[in-house]
Amino acid sequence: MSRTIQIGFLISGVTHPTSGGKVAGGTVFFFEAGTTTPKYVYTEKQKTNGYYSYPLDSVGAATLYADGELKIVIKDSNGATVKTYDHMRLRYDVYGVNTVISTPYAMTTDNDLLLVNTTSGDITINALAAASWIRPIKVFRTTGANNIVFTPNGAETVDGNANLTITSDAIVEIVSDGSNLRTVGFRANMADADGDTSVEIERTADIDKAHIKTGGTDRVVVDENGLDIVSGALRIDGADIIDDDGELVDPVLNGDVTGTGVLDEDNMASDSNTKLATQQSIKAYVDAQASATFVNNANGNPNISDTAFLAELFAGIWRSVGPTGGGANSTWTALDGVPAGVDWIEVKLLLNSSSVADTAFVTRTAYVYARKNGSSEAQSDANRIAGGLAMLNNSGYGGVNLTFPQIRIPVASRKFDLYWISTFNSATTVNLLLVGYGYNP
């Protein structure tokens, strides 16, 4: 039962606003606030004798009790209206706790906390119109496992829904914005003495959340999307496993590691800088690169191919050399069997250069240069791969015949460029034999 409070201004008698005298013998009428619907008032706090109107005594006074919000109309003895008070709110200054055990229950403006017993079934609570709310209300299922259905007035909503179903033993606070109702959170009764460490269950129209707080700060939030460590580290037995930046701390991985972040590619084809490689694929790749530099001794010679390249050189001009169909100036078929992605080839170079009937006792030189195809670098000591010199005899004859067994030449798509220059006056020839190829680290 809601509580009543005495209508104070009626105790001392009503004064007529025009004559200044008391409204003796008049009548006071009571209605629901803002309406012409009669509302009961009472001659005692217990609300046992209700009246829609009541006569004023000889000094215009009456001792009456009422609750909630109402409209009061005072008329004189002739029935003329003297004064009207609308939306007068009467509230007993005590926190109102009410126990609810039957359904439906009609909410009143005196309700502060409803303790609901759902042992016998679901309990429906019919809310006041949003415009009539005086303060928030809290609803708490104290007993039973059935639901509490909080139903707004008419077409009004709560959190945008036609009703609110409460299924847990938590205190739910509901407020009015004047047009509709909203929940301000589910608060589980789990907190320390000063309230800064707590477990809180929150419900809004959009999402359900649970918060774990220490020091008044969210540490863990759980919602329909998962668990989020928003502050602090994840620990096991006091040791950080994931730090505050979301990074693993001294991880120990036992057992198999699988997933899209781990690739098992023997050729490392994806060339990713964000994925891990398996032990087997790393070994296979390293073995493949190492074996690429082994010579092929099946033919009894230390060469991968016995197909020599006789350089068709023009003094002072860079000329490209490449496999069949590679678009180079000169084709060397030995390169056809080399993998397309190699970084270098290894060759044995034979240099022969001579002079005939040249100037006696002069020194002649011959040099060979190589670079990766497509490079713009000029010939220099850095890219010189072979060279020799000889002093001619008294008849102007002489030359060089040299072998360079292991020369590494950088390639692009199995192509490289050659350049030579010689001061001998007769023939200069360069022969190449392919002895290996490989990859940079």
Side-chain angles (χ1 to χ4, degrees):
M1 178 182 292
S2 62
R3 294 143 297 156
T4 59
I5 187 172
Q6 193 170 31
I7 305 174
F9 77 94
L10 293 177
I11 297 175
S12 58
V14 178
T15 301
H16 197 288
T18 302
S19 66
K22 296 295 184 180
V23 186
T27 305
V28 58
F29 297 84
F30 303 93
F31 307 90
E32 297 284 352
T35 73
T36 57
T37 303
K39 178 179 175 67
Y40 275 126
V41 297
Y42 306 92
T43 54
E44 70 293 312
K45 291 182 179 181
Q46 291 73 25
K47 300 170 68 171
T48 53
N49 297 306
Y51 298 87
Y52 291 137
S53 62
Y54 198 82
L56 300 175
D57 62 17
S58 59
V59 294
T63 301
L64 296 170
Y65 298 84
D67 60 1
E69 189 173 11
L70 67 163
K71 179 171 72 174
I72 300 175
V73 178
I74 301 170
K75 295 186 178 183
D76 61 17
S77 58
N78 297 318
T81 299
V82 174
K83 186 68 175 176
T84 298
Y85 300 92
D86 202 353
H87 294 286
M88 177 175 283
R89 292 180 177 178
L90 302 174
R91 187 173 180 86
Y92 195 70
D93 262 347
V94 176
Y95 189 77
V97 180
N98 299 86
T99 299
V100 179
I101 59 175
S102 59
T103 189
Y105 176 84
M107 172 188 167
T108 73
T109 53
D110 286 322
N111 294 143
D112 290 297
L113 172 63
L114 298 180
L115 304 177
V116 184
N117 183 333
T118 66
T119 302
S120 299
D122 291 352
I123 296 290
T124 296
I125 299 172
N126 292 326
L128 290 170
S132 301
W133 282 49
I134 298 173
R135 65 180 68 185
I137 187 173
K138 294 181 177 67
V139 181
F140 182 27
R141 187 180 72 180
T142 57
T143 310
N146 294 298
N147 299 328
I148 301 171
V149 181
F150 194 89
T151 304
N153 182 265
E156 294 175 358
T157 61
V158 53
D159 290 336
N161 302 310
N163 56 60
L164 168 67
T165 301
I166 302 170
T167 61
S168 64
D169 297 336
I171 297 176
V172 182
E173 186 174 13
I174 306 166
V175 298
S176 168
D177 63 10
S179 300
N180 292 287
L181 310 179
R182 301 178 183 275
T183 56
V184 295
F186 285 10
R187 302 297 181 190
N189 188 20
M190 298 176 65
D192 63 358
D194 60 7
D196 66 351
T197 299
S198 63
V199 177
E200 300 177 357
I201 301 173
E202 173 188 346
R203 180 187 182 280
T204 68
D206 299 328
I207 201 166
D208 297 336
K209 290 185 178 180
H211 300 255
I212 300 177
K213 296 183 176 182
T214 60
T217 300
D218 270 343
R219 303 300 181 186
V220 178
V221 176
V222 183
D223 59 24
E224 63 186 16
N225 297 316
L227 182 147
D228 185 10
I229 300 175
V230 295
S231 178
L234 174 64
R235 294 182 170 186
I236 296 179
D237 292 334
D240 287 0
I241 302 301
I242 301 176
D243 66 18
D244 198 19
D245 295 322
E247 298 180 355
L248 291 172
V249 179
D250 298 329
V252 177
L253 304 178
N254 296 317
D256 295 336
V257 179
T258 60
T260 57
V262 180
L263 301 180
D264 186 31
E265 296 178 340
D266 291 357
N267 60 0
M268 303 288 181
S270 61
D271 193 26
S272 172
N273 63 354
T274 61
K275 307 291 186 181
L276 298 176
T278 65
Q279 182 191 45
Q280 181 276 327
S281 65
I282 294 172
K283 182 178 185 302
Y285 182 79
V286 172
D287 287 349
Q289 309 318 306
S291 64
T293 62
F294 291 168
V295 296
N296 178 5
N297 292 318
N299 54 21
N301 298 313
N303 310 322
I304 288 181
S305 172
D306 284 336
T307 303
F309 175 71
L310 176 60
E312 301 168 1
L313 301 178
F314 300 87
I317 299 176
W318 285 100
R319 298 280 290 178
S320 59
V321 181
T324 302
N329 297 131
S330 301
T331 298
W332 186 13
T333 58
L335 295 174
D336 295 354
V338 174
V342 300
D343 295 307
W344 47 265
I345 60 170
E346 194 169 279
V347 301
K348 179 167 66 175
L349 184 147
L350 287 74
L351 172 63
N352 185 284
S353 193
S354 62
S355 281
V356 176
D358 199 351
T359 304
F361 305 117
V362 297
T363 300
R364 300 301 189 193
T365 59
Y367 297 106
V368 181
Y369 303 86
R371 69 185 184 187
K372 182 189 294 187
N373 180 245
S375 171
S376 61
E377 62 181 289
Q379 67 276 12
S380 67
D381 290 344
N383 56 26
R384 187 169 63 197
I385 60 173
L389 57 84
M391 179 179 288
L392 304 184
N393 63 18
N394 60 353
S395 299
Y397 285 80
V400 293
N401 188 1
L402 302 172
T403 299
F404 300 87
Q406 291 180 315
I407 298 173
R408 185 169 292 185
I409 301 174
V411 297
S413 301
R414 298 178 290 177
K415 294 189 291 185
F416 61 96
D417 299 338
L418 280 179
Y419 180 103
W420 72 276
I421 186 169
S422 174
T423 59
F424 290 97
N425 72 357
S426 187
T428 295
T429 60
V430 176
N431 279 275
L432 300 178
L433 286 170
L434 182 64
V435 298
Y437 54 82
Y439 303 82
N440 294 330

